[in-house]
Amino acid sequence: MVVPARARDLGPNSSSTPIHLEFALAPRDPVALQNFLGSLYDPASPRYHDFLSPGEFGPVFGASPATVAAVTSQLEDIGLHPGQVNTNDLMIPVSTTVGDAERALGVSIHDYRLTDGRIAYANQTAPQVPSSIAPAITAIVGLSDVAIAKTQILGAPLPASTSTTSVATASAYLSSATSATSPACVGAQSSGGYTAEQLASAYDFDSGAYTNGLFGQGETIALYELEPFSSTDVNTFESCYGIHTTVRKVPVDGGAGTGTGSGESTLDIDTAIELAPDATVDVYEAPNNGGSGPLDEYAQIANDDTAEVVSTSWGLCEADLGASGAQAEEAIFMQMATQGQSVFAAAGDSGSEDCYQGPGSSTALAVDDPGSDPYVTSVGGTTLSLTPAGFRSSETVWNDQATQSGSGGGGISTLWSMPKWQTAKGIIQGLSSNSDCGAPAGSYCREVPDVSAVADPYDGFGIYFAQQWTSVGGTSGATPLWAAAVALADQACAATVPANASGLVNSALYSHANDLFDVTSGNNDYTGTNNGAYPARAGYDMASGLGTPTAAIFKAGVLCKSRGSTVTSPSSPASAPTVSSPAPPTATGHGYWLIGSDGGVFSFGDATYQGSVPADNIHINNIIAAMPTPF
């Protein structure tokens, strides 16, 4: 673990201190996993959006039983006592003491006083494990708690009464509880932040989703939290809007304690339920201990596999997390992608200098984890302006450099190469780089954010926190807003045949870039020390990504599956699922062959499969001919 230069070494930690470690394992065949994900999100592939079912990932792509047994045995031999391997076969837990961990792993763990006064511990040297199992272990998480995930929430810089925003009246789900005359909602309207109606109007939830009956019914949003929240606060917020969203706490590693927290959890919950009121919201909570808790929470969300959409507003600048910690996370995000789970992460509130508010307070260009991971959708921040009727009039990149209240994160990853879906025409520009992440010649590094939404706290999100209405901002609000939008899109997808979810939306978003609202002004050089990096421009940029939501994203077939597929179940744990072979083209069976305008042949009823996609797996449009098969 890298300890900040200005941290004060306080000497060795007590050898009797309990410590919990996670030994992160590499997938058994990373190439097969990447190839499977490539086909899973390729619309031209027969495997397109044929996601794995709950419990399938571990036996197919997790570490092999032989690897798990070898690692477990070797850890026992060096004096550690591992627990049961995680159900995704990617993590082995170890509960021990500092002294036993030091002896087993050849490290010395010291206490440090950080510049913010917090006392943290960290290993002074890299841990050592037997060479026979070293290639199987990607990270040992828990030897340090220096890097604490930070929220991307900012408080309102102005009192609620000074807000100049108007109350929109165009929302399609206005009820007596949300109308302008409702006493219960006076607090929300005077909070100083945008109301549900204003957000719904600005981002076309009204016209694109609500008017089509999409409120999130049947969908589940998982909120990743590292702090508690007050159920009383949430209930009051629901009463204001007349909604009855199911909100459930899911504790991980003992949960996050009690109390109201900083407001991060409350912001995430309020934003999700006000925009997707009929969805179920599962609030996962783990201790923000800088150790294994944050990683364990991601693993729990993936292994439960009950949420179609995941939102996290917690992160670290890449330098503070480190490459090994990022690799441990990525295996879990890849698992989520194979299962059809969409993951959204805040891009950060320190502009293009994401480490500025971290332990090192650096003004160097940097981006935020986990949003920088290629299997996550990074959400940047904007300043939103409304018309008097409450509709969007303009958006610019959020950058309150003058008041130092924050700026939307974005820039170039130092850990990840640019994924294939981001190499689309217009993405690579003069500011793109292959040196930051050490990408091979001719390729580039991952760029963020992918998309954006309102984050400026001068308007902010009206929430009910600590028994009062208030306004908060940050990419913490933009992220659950996008999660809610995709939950509604998933509801539209659920009406397709077969029912499906959006999954990793990045490829679809970049393919439909013209369907988003393009933000073309401003930059996110928060400290003013990086020559205006990065400026907004027409098309993609590293300040606002592809842009902000419009009605188009709620249409079935934009983010979700628009064609069928035929995939057999995985038969070999060492390989990716395989595509079934078409039957010989013989005219037998009882049914019809349907010919589409694209020349594809589709079987219907008992007609023999002819090399295209069976009709019971797809909505067929533009049929130009139908031929009965012989009886």
Side-chain angles (χ1 to χ4, degrees), residues 49-73:
H49 277 200
D50 195 5
F51 302 121
L52 296 182
S53 299
E56 280 192 299
F57 180 88
V60 178
F61 293 117
S64 69
T67 296
V68 172
V71 172
T72 299
S73 176

Side-chain angles (χ1 to χ4, degrees), residues 227-271:
E227 69 174 16
F229 68 93
S230 165
S231 295
T232 301
D233 284 349
V234 173
N235 292 339
T236 301
F237 186 87
E238 288 187 315
S239 296
C240 170
Y241 284 103
I243 57 179
H244 306 281
T245 311
T246 299
V247 178
R248 304 180 297 202
K249 290 184 181 181
V250 184
V252 179
D253 292 354
T258 59
T260 60
S262 68
E264 176 61 70
S265 290
T266 304
L267 169 61
D268 294 344
I269 295 168
D270 287 358
T271 303

Side-chain angles (χ1 to χ4, degrees), residues 605-628:
D606 292 332
T608 306
Y609 178 57
Q610 294 297 307
S612 290
V613 181
D616 57 357
N617 283 346
I618 190 171
H619 283 306
I620 304 176
N621 298 317
N622 301 322
I623 298 172
I624 60 174
M627 298 181 294

Side-chain angles (χ1 to χ4, degrees), residues 329-383:
E329 285 182 347
E330 170 156 275
I332 299 173
F333 296 138
M334 294 175 82
Q335 175 187 353
M336 291 183 182
T338 67
Q339 297 170 167
Q341 294 179 286
S342 308
V343 185
F344 291 87
D349 294 345
S350 299
S352 56
E353 303 92 346
D354 193 69
C355 296
Y356 181 63
Q357 296 179 348
S361 297
S362 171
T363 59
L365 294 173
V367 299
D368 202 72
D369 169 273
S372 63
D373 191 281
Y375 297 97
V376 174
T377 304
S378 174
V379 184
T382 66
T383 295

Side-chain angles (χ1 to χ4, degrees), residues 120-157:
Y121 65 86
N123 50 303
Q124 293 189 307
T125 57
Q128 304 295 315
V129 296
S131 58
S132 60
I133 62 171
I137 300 173
T138 60
I140 302 174
V141 179
L143 291 172
S144 169
D145 70 347
V146 168
I148 296 290
K150 62 178 185 284
T151 68
Q152 313 298 348
I153 185 174
L154 296 171

Side-chain angles (χ1 to χ4, degrees), residues 69-93:
V71 172
T72 299
S73 176
Q74 288 291 308
L75 293 180
E76 290 277 7
D77 289 347
I78 62 176
L80 300 176
H81 303 288
Q84 182 68 35
V85 66
N86 202 281
T87 56
N88 60 7
D89 293 331
L90 290 177
M91 291 159 48
I92 297 178

Side-chain angles (χ1 to χ4, degrees), residues 515-609:
D515 287 329
L516 301 183
F517 182 89
D518 192 9
V519 179
T520 59
S521 62
N523 68 66
N524 61 348
D525 184 0
Y526 178 47
T527 62
T529 59
N530 287 289
N531 298 316
Y534 295 93
R537 60 171 194 153
Y540 178 85
D541 56 71
M542 289 181 278
S544 64
L546 298 168
T548 59
T550 68
I553 67 170
F554 302 109
K555 297 177 181 178
V558 174
L559 299 182
C560 68
K561 183 177 184 178
S562 59
R563 51 159 293 189
S565 63
T566 55
V567 181
T568 60
S569 298
S571 57
S572 170
S575 63
T578 56
V579 182
S580 59
S581 300
T586 56
T588 60
H590 303 271
Y592 292 86
W593 295 320
L594 307 178
I595 303 174
S597 59
D598 62 353
V601 180
F602 304 86
S603 62
F604 182 79
D606 292 332
T608 306
Y609 178 57

Side-chain angles (χ1 to χ4, degrees), residues 2 15 17 108 137 213 273 322 327 343 377 404 455 478 513 520 531 539 577 581:
V2 177
S15 61
T17 301
S108 179
I137 300 173
I273 66 178
Q327 287 177 335
V343 185
T377 304
Q404 286 286 286
T520 59
N531 298 316
S581 300

